Amino acid sequence: YDPDELGCFRRFLHNLTSEPYNLTFILFTWVLFNFGMTSPILALAIVAQILMGTTYVYTMKWTTDMNLFYSMGDPMVFLNLQVLCRNADAVGGGIGGVLGAFLYSLNPLAPFFFTGALACVIFVVYTAGFCARLGFGEDIEMAEEKRSCRLGKKRVSLWATTKSQSQLPGKNEITTETVANEALK
């Protein structure tokens, strides 16, 4: 990706669909699809319902990608972020089920208006938060590096410095180090 080779529109589209603004884009689609469910045009409501499932899948995938980025290779941080996200998803689903049933008893369209408005608020807060943190139009890796330098903090990635347990040799496994040690004896 070379931003100088792209036109203004393609550069904007790239920035919109890359981290962290891919989640902004997906939050915007949540807003559209929730309000689309309230449409009196049946075909529009059906399309909104079908695309909502795809939106959910991409939300989970891109959230996992963000967790992976912010964990910086530390498996414990990544797992903690994943647990937080999945617990929040489960609690939100539970509350949404109860609240949705109550709102539906008031008006069949009320749950969709409520979730559309809630998704709109989350969209604004998330987007404003990342715009304030990183700005817009710069690669997330470079923006976080600049932010760390500005704050006088060092970002330390564990990607290259640690091996996962599956990559570590076993007790009886022969490695080049054990061969070299045996040769010296």
Side-chain angles (χ1 to χ4, degrees):
Y1 163 71
D2 185 8
D4 297 330
E5 291 182 8
L6 298 178
C8 183
F9 178 73
R10 289 187 63 203
R11 188 173 34 241
F12 175 76
L13 198 58
H14 172 77
N15 292 331
L16 187 64
T17 56
S18 60
E19 291 176 339
Y21 296 106
N22 54 357
L23 288 173
T24 293
F25 174 74
I26 212 80
L27 282 168
F28 182 71
T29 61
W30 274 112
V31 172
L32 290 179
F33 298 150
N34 274 296
F35 288 130
M37 293 289 290
T38 65
S39 172
I41 302 168
L42 181 61
L44 186 62
I46 291 171
V47 167
Q49 174 64 40
I50 291 169
L51 292 177
M52 232 181 225
T54 304
T55 301
Y56 178 78
V57 170
Y58 277 105
T59 301
M60 291 294 110
K61 189 232 182 287
W62 290 342
T63 302
T64 301
D65 291 347
M66 286 292 289
N67 289 344
L68 191 59
F69 174 77
Y70 279 109
S71 72
M72 296 187 68
D74 186 339
M76 290 309 297
V77 172
F78 176 72
L79 288 176
N80 285 336
L81 290 171
Q82 287 294 95
V83 167
L84 286 172
C85 287
R86 297 308 169 248
N87 285 341
D89 183 41
V91 169
I95 293 171
V98 172
L99 186 61
F102 170 73
L103 290 173
Y104 189 84
S105 69
L106 301 176
N107 181 348
L109 299 178
F112 303 108
F113 283 123
F114 177 78
T115 54
L118 181 62
C120 190
V121 169
I122 294 169
F123 164 78
V124 169
V125 169
Y126 177 86
T127 305
F130 269 105
C131 280
R133 180 182 174 97
L134 304 174
F136 184 78
E138 193 167 7
D139 178 53
I140 189 172
E141 186 74 44
M142 295 301 298
E144 283 292 346
E145 191 66 38
K146 286 180 182 178
R147 180 178 180 274
S148 296
C149 289
R150 189 177 68 243
L151 295 174
K153 296 181 179 179
K154 184 175 180 174
R155 294 185 77 218
V156 179
S157 175
L158 295 178
W159 292 113
T161 59
T162 62
K163 289 186 174 183
S164 70
Q165 287 299 99
S166 63
Q167 294 174 326
L168 295 175
K171 288 182 179 180
N172 298 327
E173 192 172 331
I174 297 175
T175 64
T176 54
E177 188 177 349
T178 33
V179 171
N181 287 340
E182 291 295 321
L184 290 175
K185 288 181 181 178

